[in-house]
Every structure is written in C-alpha cells, then in structure tokens.
Amino acid sequence: QVQLVESGGGLVQAGGSLRLSCAASGSVFGIQTMGWYRQAPGKARELVATIARGGETNYADSAQGRFTISRDYAKNAVYLQMTSLKPEDTGVYYCNGDSAFWGSRWGQGTQVTVSS
C-alpha cells in the first residue's frame, strides 16, 4: 500500500511564501511522476506543477515564475516552494504520485490560505 502525506500548509499574507512537502511511503517502487494539484472552494481540482522521474517539470501558467517544484528521489518526496503568493492561490493542495506498478495515489491534502 502506498501512502502520500503532505505537510507545510498554513495561513500566509499575500506576497508571502510557503513550502509544501509530500512524502511517499509503503511499496513506493517505480514512482514516475509526482506533482501538486489544488482545489479552491467550489472549483475543480487543477494542476499546479509536476516533476517527472527524469526531472522534467511542468507548471500551470498561474504557477510559472512563482512556484518551484523539486524532488528528493532518495526520500521519495516532492516539494513545492511557493513565493509571491496571491489570494487566488488559496485552496487545498494535494500531492500525487504515479507508478506503472501501483497506479496513481493522492495525499489527503493540506490547506493553503492566502489573506489579502
């Protein structure tokens, strides 16, 4: 069983920064892409950023230039450094990991609230 656990969310003022962390545990062999998604109240879950096993990154337009995704392969962890936060970045941030062996898994989410 694979589990993803996020941490690092919280309340921050606009213009501030937060760093989200996500660690995968269990039978995590073969992790390919890891990523961050967010869901604002009343809206669908949307991609924020992903990082492939080879290090290739992909960002939503809204995250480009402000957020940085990184990965620690030894720890099966993925991070999201968020800077210049805006109120519209508010939402629940979910970590995702996928593997050809165990499919796709989601974390429980961590709340990020950006006050204006």
Side-chain angles (χ1 to χ4, degrees):
Q1 191 77 352
V2 175
Q3 287 188 319
L4 301 177
V5 179
E6 303 99 334
S7 61
L11 173 64
V12 64
Q13 289 188 330
S17 299
L18 279 176
R19 185 175 187 253
L20 305 183
S21 301
C22 170
S25 62
S27 301
V28 298
F29 51 87
I31 293 181
Q32 296 298 316
T33 300
M34 298 189 78
W36 290 95
Y37 295 73
R38 71 184 176 199
Q39 188 165 18
K43 295 188 177 181
R45 192 174 298 187
E46 63 179 5
L47 178 145
V48 177
T50 61
I51 182 166
R53 184 167 183 81
E56 298 87 358
T57 58
N58 178 48
Y59 293 93
D61 289 344
S62 60
Q64 189 75 43
R66 298 188 299 127
F67 295 0
T68 302
I69 190 169
S70 61
R71 190 166 169 175
D72 186 327
Y73 296 89
K75 296 181 179 179
N76 293 310
V78 64
Y79 309 97
L80 186 68
Q81 179 67 48
M82 304 186 291
T83 63
S84 302
L85 283 161
K86 305 175 182 180
E88 51 264 43
D89 293 318
T90 294
V92 179
Y93 282 68
Y94 296 91
C95 173
N96 177 269
D98 67 62
S99 164
F101 298 96
W102 40 262
S104 179
R105 294 288 186 272
W106 294 92
Q108 82 287 352
T110 186
Q111 176 71 44
V112 171
T113 302
V114 184
S115 64
S116 58

